[in-house]
Amino acid sequence: MGRQSCCYKQKLRKGLWSPEEDEKLLRHITKYGHGCWSSIPKQAGLQRCGKSCRLRWINYLRPDLKRGTFSQEEENLIIELHAVLGNRWSQIAARLPGRTDNEIKNLWNSCLKKKLKQKGIDPVTHKPLSEVENGEGNGSNKPSLVGHHPIHQYTSPPPPPPKLSSNWFNPEFSPPMTASYGPLYYGTTNGGSANNTTWGLVQTQTEEEEEEEEEEETKWTELLNSPLLMAAALQNQTPQSYYNIEIKSEPCYLTNSSSSSSSNDMWWPQTQQQQLPLQHEPLQNPDICGKDMQTLTAAAFGHI
DNA sequence: AAACCATGCAACCGCCAGTAG
DNA sequence: CCTACTGGCGGTTGCATGGTT
């Protein structure tokens, strides 16, 4: 039994948002916060469903959005997070301050997938295409370490939390390239040249290692839950992976680090002042749309 | 100049989980 | 418990735009 869309019962507008609608929604949320999404359209005088308002806010109107094209650094991070998290776009987005899951999903589907394929990497498994084509059954259990990307395939049902060595991100870790604690690690060989990246599989674990693994998992979880830690880790020790991406330092965005940004009711009133600096951060590739929104947002937030 | 095609992006759809009544 | 409602998420679609023939 298919349900009717939430916009169906009333004659609600669908499709692209007009600037007037944007302004109404922005002003309303600026003034009152979003509270209950389902009641927003009525309160704001919009002929939209609450879901649509929420989406518009999250994907476009939020003041902390970083607009413009993705940097190489961000693309790199997305690829690597995808290798770990799969299509959990919201979780990936939570690690990229100012980016939305929708944006990342679009980037992945339209751009990154292709890039990986061009490099001979299967975007689903993050394994070399040759290996994937040869069949999962035969040689795939014995990947060689050098020049391969033996990430275990994540298929549905979703895998357990990634047992990724925190070496990957932890700046305090000196990276032992000979072992890891989980099914996957990304590492960099001496010099950090992108072409020297080594991806490895886990070795069979000893009991001691299992204990360590638990610790590592904790660290990993902490890292994943903290964009700031993640950013710091990235700046200090980023895997200069085979994607051959130069890592540059990134301005530090303050976000609610306790969980994904979308799950925090009324998060922005407390943080908008810190988040607003995005407006004076020069975008690498500022676009007109971004400028418009910055102007609009500045008008709404900057002087109220 | 027009038609066609490819690409990127915004928004919708449907499912699911959490929760209040 | 059960039900309805709500928010969140991932997959998908449709449109606008730019490039090519």
Side-chain angles (χ1 to χ4, degrees):
Chain A
M1 296 283 277
R3 284 184 298 178
Q4 302 289 2
S5 141
C6 59
C7 305
Y8 181 83
K9 11 183 177 177
Q10 303 146 15
K11 275 191 178 176
L12 297 177
R13 264 178 62 83
K14 287 167 71 173
L16 294 179
W17 281 64
S18 68
E20 291 76 26
E21 288 178 304
D22 278 345
E23 198 182 334
K24 278 184 184 177
L25 181 60
L26 187 57
R27 285 193 189 288
H28 183 270
I29 296 182
T30 302
K31 211 168 177 180
Y32 305 108
H34 64 66
C36 175
W37 284 112
S38 58
S39 60
I40 285 221
K42 204 175 178 183
Q43 294 167 355
L46 289 163
Q47 299 286 97
R48 297 273 181 174
C49 69
K51 241 179 174 180
S52 183
C53 293
R54 176 184 159 271
L55 211 63
R56 184 63 176 170
W57 172 256
I58 288 172
N59 287 338
Y60 195 78
L61 295 175
R62 259 165 52 190
D64 64 328
L65 283 182
K66 184 199 286 186
R67 304 196 69 86
T69 54
F70 282 75
S71 65
Q72 284 292 309
E73 175 185 340
E74 287 175 310
E75 288 187 8
N76 189 29
L77 181 56
I78 291 167
I79 291 168
E80 289 166 353
L81 285 170
H82 185 271
V84 177
L85 296 168
N87 290 0
R88 293 171 187 151
W89 306 117
S90 63
Q91 289 184 36
I92 294 174
R95 275 103 204 165
L96 280 115
R99 300 296 188 182
T100 69
D101 53 353
N102 208 30
E103 220 177 350
I104 292 169
K105 184 168 55 182
N106 283 334
L107 179 74
W108 180 264
N109 286 328
S110 66
C111 180
L112 296 183
K113 258 182 172 177
K114 254 177 268 167
K115 282 187 182 177
L116 286 187
K117 279 179 185 170
Q118 280 170 6
K119 288 174 182 287
I121 298 158
D122 179 52
V124 178
T125 62
H126 292 254
K127 289 178 180 177
L129 277 172
S130 55
E131 192 177 307
V132 175
E133 283 163 6
N134 286 342
E136 299 297 313
N138 41 23
S140 60
N141 291 335
K142 300 176 184 175
S144 96
L145 290 179
V146 179
H148 283 220
H149 325 294
I151 298 169
H152 287 187
Q153 181 171 6
Y154 292 122
T155 53
S156 55
K163 296 175 178 178
L164 179 68
S165 165
S166 63
N167 303 357
W168 184 38
F169 287 124
N170 190 340
E172 295 176 4
F173 235 98
S174 53
M177 286 299 117
T178 52
S180 72
Y181 303 97
L184 141 78
Y185 74 88
Y186 297 68
T188 311
T189 53
N190 295 342
S193 156
N195 295 328
N196 291 338
T197 300
T198 304
W199 295 37
L201 268 184
V202 214
Q203 299 168 342
T204 308
Q205 289 178 333
T206 64
E207 287 174 13
E208 286 174 10
E209 281 172 340
E210 279 176 13
E211 281 180 24
E212 286 182 52
E213 178 184 325
E214 284 180 21
E215 273 183 48
E216 290 306 313
E217 263 187 76
T218 310
K219 290 178 191 171
W220 168 246
T221 306
E222 285 170 6
L223 269 170
L224 282 182
N225 285 330
S226 169
L228 290 179
L229 275 177
M230 179 73 84
L234 274 172
Q235 286 178 21
N236 287 292
Q237 183 193 334
T238 305
Q240 309 271 319
S241 73
Y242 66 97
Y243 304 114
N244 194 12
I245 284 163
E246 181 188 354
I247 303 301
K248 293 169 283 189
S249 65
E250 180 80 359
C252 183
Y253 288 87
L254 290 176
T255 59
N256 188 326
S257 61
S258 61
S259 61
S260 74
S261 58
S262 55
S263 63
N264 301 294
D265 277 356
M266 313 294 286
W267 51 268
W268 58 267
Q270 295 93 344
T271 56
Q272 57 175 284
Q273 286 189 338
Q274 292 107 323
Q275 287 162 346
L276 277 177
L278 101 100
Q279 288 166 16
H280 26 81
E281 183 219 358
L283 294 171
Q284 282 190 333
N285 296 290
D287 57 11
I288 293 173
C289 203
K291 278 185 187 169
D292 288 348
M293 276 320 302
Q294 287 179 11
T295 307
L296 187 57
T297 310
F301 286 90
H303 309 290
I304 288 177

